[in-house]
């Protein structure tokens, strides 16, 4: 599912980028984090329920697929040397 969704998103993004002359790259950049987010609560619920089987299948093969997880730690505060 991840590969299919990525292919669809790439095609949609290519069309959006091609139309950037009309809208401006700044406007596209400002909206980029919200493009594929569900606009309504019910849409979010439908996505969560619809992807549930695929999320469980992903757990069977966690090292395969399009997912990427990053873990970060805040550095410990160091005391300045006297």
């Amino acid at each position: 599912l991840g590969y299919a969704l990525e292919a669809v998103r790439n095609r949609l993004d290519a069309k959006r980028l091609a139309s950037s002359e009309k809208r401006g790259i700044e406007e596209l950049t400002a909206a980029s984090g919200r493009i594929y987010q569900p606009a309504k609560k019910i849409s979010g619920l439908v996505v969560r329920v619809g992807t549930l089987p695929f999320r469980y299948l992903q757990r069977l093969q966690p090292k395969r697929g399009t997912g990427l997880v990053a873990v970060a730690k805040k550095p410990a505060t160091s005391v300045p040397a006297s």
Side-chain angles (χ1 to χ4, degrees):
L1 180 65
Y3 291 118
L5 289 175
E6 191 69 21
V8 170
R9 283 187 211 122
N10 287 342
R11 294 197 81 182
L12 292 173
D13 288 342
K15 287 180 182 181
R16 243 184 225 104
L17 188 58
S19 72
S20 66
E21 293 176 8
K22 298 174 190 171
R23 296 175 54 193
I25 197 72
E26 292 83 10
E27 184 180 340
L28 290 174
T29 301
S32 66
R34 299 182 304 268
I35 290 174
Y36 300 113
Q37 299 300 316
K40 298 178 181 176
K41 287 185 180 183
I42 190 72
S43 301
L45 181 61
V46 168
V47 169
R48 287 181 61 110
V49 170
T51 60
L52 186 65
F54 298 100
R55 287 185 276 145
Y56 280 111
L57 284 171
Q58 180 68 45
R59 292 177 185 174
L60 297 174
Q61 294 285 330
K63 294 184 181 198
R64 299 194 64 194
T66 60
L68 176 65
V69 176
V71 178
K73 292 184 179 182
K74 185 175 179 180
T77 307
S78 60
V79 179
S82 335

